[in-house]
Amino acid sequence: MSFGFVAFHYPAPEHVEEFVAECHQAAEAMRRQPGFVSVGVWVIPDGDAVVTTGAFESEEAFRATADLAREMGATPEGLSDLEVRPREVHFLASR
């Protein structure tokens, strides 16, 4: 069963570019992990939110990649120093 996520992040306006750069760094690290399928970094046109997406071959592959992301300072949950409100994360499973 494939596993994925969609996360809405709310960086402060003055930190959007820095936040997006950090997301791309995390995405590059994810691409090298076993079970990785795809990742995306999107900015809502008005700049109010950054949306990240990820797809993996399994939940186990996602969990291993999430552990790597935590080591880099990125987490699928919580709030970074650049965000002004907690992110919204939705996990997805294919059926």
Side-chain angles (χ1 to χ4, degrees), residues 4-23:
F5 71 88
V6 175
F8 292 79
H9 307 266
Y10 302 96
E14 65 272 18
H15 295 301
V16 170
E17 292 307 317
E18 180 181 358
F19 188 84
V20 167
E22 288 183 6
C23 289

Side-chain angles (χ1 to χ4, degrees), residues 18-33:
E18 180 181 358
F19 188 84
V20 167
E22 288 183 6
C23 289
H24 282 291
Q25 288 176 338
E28 190 56 39
M30 290 169 62
R31 287 183 178 97
R32 297 187 294 270
Q33 299 306 303

Side-chain angles (χ1 to χ4, degrees), residues 37-78:
V37 175
S38 69
V39 65
V41 179
W42 306 83
V43 179
I44 291 180
D46 64 11
D48 286 346
V50 174
V51 181
T52 56
T53 60
F56 303 84
E57 292 175 358
S58 66
E59 184 174 351
E60 293 76 22
F62 163 75
R63 300 247 176 251
T65 301
D67 290 343
L68 171 72
R70 281 185 192 89
E71 291 172 14
M72 296 178 61
T75 61
E77 66 283 311

Side-chain angles (χ1 to χ4, degrees), residues 62-94:
F62 163 75
R63 300 247 176 251
T65 301
D67 290 343
L68 171 72
R70 281 185 192 89
E71 291 172 14
M72 296 178 61
T75 61
E77 66 283 311
L79 182 67
S80 80
D81 293 341
L82 303 179
E83 294 170 276
V84 295
R85 70 181 236 214
R87 61 191 70 156
E88 300 168 25
V89 181
H90 304 276
F91 295 105
L92 312 165
S94 67

